């Protein structure tokens, strides 16, 4: 079911369930060219590393169509135009490596001398493949990861690494769904609210409640007390980029959750497809961290909560060191320390 990312054949456009207005409204946003696709990525109409990758794959097709329409059918005309559009698309957001991964994969299918119509046809087919593949990988990852959850566990998660952040099913929420689908019906979820964009409160709670999986939202700063009281048995989060040594960048606040989990003896897992692993990034310090607009911090919705003129921080991600991670759940199995070795072996077998 293409329920939040769908390609509309009749209208030649990509349609996205607008995650900015969930859970209050279910609006749809239409991407018809590169600019609207970049806008959707940057303003978080669509967000979450694998979903960003799927969107970027369709975005390449939209870019090729745009290059043909604006520059003309001669390769000398459309090629430089397409190259420029792809560069803009690839740089829309810096941290989630799935964006560059998807554009690189589309480029690799671009045959020398191919005319633009043939390129468009093969790119649309490949974008659809990437979309379907992500659904399969999330299901597999969920089935693999189900073993780390015991029936009766309360699982904390941070941000939204669910169906909305992927093509379907999710990564961290895929592990929870995998356990639920395996019959572990006494599990509960704590969704950290995840300031400033509130992906936990708005999106994780929305999709788990829809599925009937018990979920409670907690303020981000309740994490320490919840763990101290023994109310959390596992933590499972997603990732935007996993470095070659296993350090994993995820939504800002994840590092604090991981440090607290270590302090209170709660196993901390990362769940992500292999497309989120970047072998070219040696460690977490080398992962680029997105700096987003101050307005996300100074305002909640339309309401200003920070005095005029006061500066804020809005770094959107933080890297969790590999030594705090009990396992990395992927579609090919659970990777364990030492991650340098287990990651290299998993990528070699891809
Ligand atoms: O800024 P966002 O909402 O794109 O950040 C998303 C996250 O940090 C997710 O946890 C991550 O992308 C994993 S998605 C399966």
């Amino acid at each position: 079911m293409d329920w939040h990312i769908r390609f509309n054949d009749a209208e030649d456009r990509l349609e996205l369930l607008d995650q900015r207005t969930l859970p209050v409204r279910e609006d749809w946003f239409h991407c018809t060219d590169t600019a609207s696709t970049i806008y959707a990525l940057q303003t978080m109409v669509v967000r979450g590393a694998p979903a960003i990758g799927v969107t970027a794959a369709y975005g390449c097709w939209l870019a090729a169509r745009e290059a043909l329409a604006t520059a003309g059918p001669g390769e000398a005309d459309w090629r430089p135009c397409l190259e420029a559009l792809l560069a803009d698309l690839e740089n829309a957001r810096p941290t989630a490596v799935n964006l560059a991964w998807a554009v690189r994969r589309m480029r690799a299918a671009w045959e020398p001398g191919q005319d633009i119509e043939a390129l468009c046809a093969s790119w649309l087919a490949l974008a659809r493949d990437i979309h379907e593949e992500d659904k399969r990988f999330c299901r597999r990852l969920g089935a693999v990861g189900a073993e780390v959850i015991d029936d009766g566990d309360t699982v904390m998660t941070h941000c939204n690494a669910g169906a909305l952040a992927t093509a379907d099913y999710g990564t961290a929420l895929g592990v929870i769904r995998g356990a639920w689908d395996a019959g572990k019906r006494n599990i509960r979820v704590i969704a950290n609210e995840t300031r400033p964009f509130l992906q936990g409160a708005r999106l994780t709670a929305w999709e788990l409640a829809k599925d009937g999986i018990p979920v409670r939202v907690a303020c981000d700063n309740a994490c320490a007390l919840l763990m101290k009281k023994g109310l959390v048995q596992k933590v499972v989060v997603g990732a935007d980029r996993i470095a070659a040594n296993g350090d994993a960048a995820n939504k800002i606040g994840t590092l604090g959750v991981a440090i607290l989990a270590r302090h209170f003896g709660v196993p901390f897992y990362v769940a992500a497809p292999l497309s989120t692993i970047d072998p070219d990034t040696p460690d977490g310090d080398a992962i680029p961290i997105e700096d987003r607009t101050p307005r996300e911090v100074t305002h909640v919705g339309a309401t200003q909560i920070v005095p005029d003129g006061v500066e804020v921080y809005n770094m959107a991600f933080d890297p969790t060191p590999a030594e705090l991670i009990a396992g990395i759940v992927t579609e090919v199995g659970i990777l364990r320390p030492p991650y340098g070795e287990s990651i290299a072996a998993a990528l070699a077998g891809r």
Side-chain angles (χ1 to χ4, degrees):
M1 174 178 65
D2 291 341
W3 68 277
H4 81 99
I5 301 175
R6 64 187 188 207
F7 184 78
N8 185 328
D9 280 292
E11 302 290 341
D12 272 359
R13 69 186 183 213
L14 178 64
E15 300 179 348
L16 302 168
L17 180 60
D18 193 336
Q19 299 191 29
R20 297 171 303 177
T21 54
L22 288 173
V24 178
R25 287 203 320 268
E26 295 184 23
D27 297 332
W28 287 86
F29 182 90
H30 297 166
C31 300
T32 51
D33 56 12
T34 315
S36 52
T37 308
I38 291 173
Y39 176 86
L41 291 165
Q42 291 183 333
T43 61
M44 303 215 276
V45 169
V46 61
R47 29 67 48 203
I52 288 172
V54 172
T55 301
Y58 286 113
C60 290
W61 179 83
L62 286 167
R65 300 276 300 189
E66 186 178 341
L68 170 63
T70 55
E75 185 170 350
D77 303 316
W78 60 260
R79 179 182 263 276
C81 176
L82 178 56
E83 293 284 6
L85 293 172
L86 292 181
D88 290 346
L89 183 64
E90 193 168 353
N91 290 319
R93 291 190 74 188
T95 304
V97 74
N98 303 61
L99 173 52
W101 169 87
V103 175
R104 209 170 40 241
R105 202 162 149 194
M106 299 294 281
R107 276 179 174 284
W110 182 353
E111 290 168 18
Q114 200 170 28
D115 72 48
I116 186 89
E117 293 291 357
L119 179 64
C120 284
S122 71
W123 271 8
L124 184 54
L126 181 54
R128 288 191 156 120
D129 283 352
I130 290 173
H131 193 177
E132 291 307 312
E133 179 186 272
D134 190 60
K135 293 179 196 170
R136 281 198 309 281
F137 286 179
C138 285
R139 292 268 168 182
R140 214 181 290 162
L141 183 159
V144 164
E147 72 175 59
V148 310
I149 310 293
D150 293 314
D151 205 10
D153 278 355
T154 295
V155 184
M156 176 178 278
T157 190
H158 194 77
C159 193
N160 171 265
L164 288 166
T166 58
D168 196 13
Y169 209 67
T171 56
L173 297 195
V175 168
I176 290 165
R177 288 192 168 99
W180 183 263
D181 291 344
K184 297 175 187 171
R185 293 296 166 103
N186 296 304
I187 55 180
R188 298 175 172 278
V189 179
I190 295 175
N192 291 339
E193 65 175 349
T194 319
R195 274 279 291 152
F197 197 66
L198 302 171
Q199 289 95 329
R202 297 188 303 105
L203 308 177
T204 296
W206 182 75
E207 57 171 272
L208 290 178
K210 251 170 133 56
D211 278 2
I213 299 177
V215 58
R216 267 197 197 203
V217 172
C219 296
D220 296 328
N221 45 15
C223 177
L225 183 62
L226 292 170
M227 288 187 181
K228 183 175 187 309
K229 282 179 170 289
L231 296 176
V232 183
Q233 280 71 51
K234 304 279 160 50
V235 176
V236 187
V237 299
D240 290 83
R241 187 185 301 225
I242 299 173
N245 72 342
D247 294 352
N250 190 50
K251 180 55 50 189
I252 190 78
T254 304
L255 172 60
V257 175
I259 291 169
L260 288 168
R262 171 59 54 89
H263 180 80
F264 290 110
V266 177
F268 177 97
Y269 291 92
V270 170
L274 295 185
S275 54
T276 301
I277 299 177
D278 180 7
D280 297 328
T281 298
D283 58 30
D285 289 339
I287 297 176
I289 300 296
E290 179 178 5
D291 224 346
R292 292 185 59 81
T293 169
R295 195 183 157 92
E296 288 177 351
V297 176
T298 58
H299 289 66
V300 174
T303 306
Q304 183 175 339
I305 58 165
V306 175
D308 283 335
V310 172
E311 290 186 42
V312 299
Y313 287 109
N314 193 12
M315 288 173 266
F317 300 94
D318 54 29
T320 293
E323 74 232 32
L324 298 181
I325 302 172
I328 300 176
V329 182
T330 74
E331 70 273 24
V332 298
I334 302 176
L335 311 185
R336 302 283 183 181
Y339 291 112
E341 287 167 28
S342 55
I343 284 177
L347 294 180
R350 178 157 64 177

